[in-house]
Structure formats: C-alpha cells, structure tokens
Amino acid sequence: MRSIYPVFRYPDARAAIDWLCAAFDFQVHEVHDAPDGSVAHAQLGYGGDLIMLATGSGPRVRPADDDYVVYVAVDDVDAHHGRAAAAGAEIVRKPFDTDYGSRDYTARDLAGNVWSFGTYRP
C-alpha cells in the first residue's frame, strides 16, 4: 500500500507529462481534464510508485541546486542520466558515487523542480 505521493504543478502540465515520460521514464497512469481543457489531475508511475501533477504555477522561486523535491531510486543511474540528458533535462550534478554506496545524479524538470535519482533504496 502506498502512503506518500509527491505532487507537482506545471504551467503546461500536458507538456510536462510528455517530457517526464521521455526524460525520466515515467508512464502515464491516468489524466483527468479540467473543464477548460487543462490537466486537473494526473498520475504518472515509475516502478510501483506514483507521482501526481496538475496544471498550476509551478515553483514560485527557482529552488537551489541542492533543494531536491523528490528522490527516485533507479536501477541504472548512468542509463537514466543519459536518457534525461538526451531529452534536454538540465543536469545539475552528473552521476557520482556516494560514501554510503549509492550512485546518484541530479536534474531539473521543465518547471525548475530539482529531482535526485540514485541507486540507494532505504
């Protein structure tokens, strides 16, 4: 049973959905439209987990490079990084090894949110 769902707002949620799938390998779970045609609510899956998103203003201030919004555990950091970079993700920190045995990298999405990806699984 899932208990925690990160939630994001994007000025253009449809473009964000396409980009998150292309760059970070998310899969569309469901999308619900608002009466004006914008995205009222969407769910994207990664592995067995979900994030939620909708149309909105996004972050009001650009977060610092180390102000992670969410950490996503991935099996192959280097391949994931390559996919994100090829899709035009702003790479904040290239893949690196941590002192606790994880391999990580950090990227920004279209709205400036900072995402951290790595092999660490608590």
Side-chain angles (χ1 to χ4, degrees):
M1 177 191 276
R2 298 177 192 112
S3 298
I4 300 173
Y5 302 87
V7 178
F8 300 89
R9 299 261 182 221
Y10 294 94
D12 184 344
R14 290 196 195 288
I17 290 167
D18 292 343
W19 189 86
L20 289 165
C21 291
F24 295 160
D25 202 23
F26 279 95
Q27 303 297 314
V28 175
H29 188 262
E30 60 184 68
V31 177
H32 300 277
D33 294 336
D36 67 0
S38 65
V39 176
H41 174 81
Q43 298 173 7
L44 302 183
Y46 187 88
D49 297 308
L50 293 172
I51 63 167
M52 297 186 293
L53 63 99
T55 300
S57 63
R60 289 182 176 39
V61 189
R62 183 176 169 96
D65 287 350
D66 62 352
D67 190 9
Y68 309 133
V69 173
V70 65
Y71 177 88
V72 180
V74 299
D75 293 327
D76 185 339
V77 166
D78 294 291
H80 196 277
H81 165 265
R83 178 186 181 121
E90 178 187 341
I91 304 302
V92 173
R93 189 165 181 197
K94 292 180 180 179
F96 64 97
D97 296 316
T98 70
D99 59 356
Y100 50 89
S102 184
R103 184 152 176 81
D104 295 356
Y105 85 94
T106 308
R108 284 187 191 275
D109 67 18
L110 296 175
N113 297 304
V114 183
W115 294 67
S116 181
F117 298 92
T119 58
Y120 180 72
R121 295 179 191 270

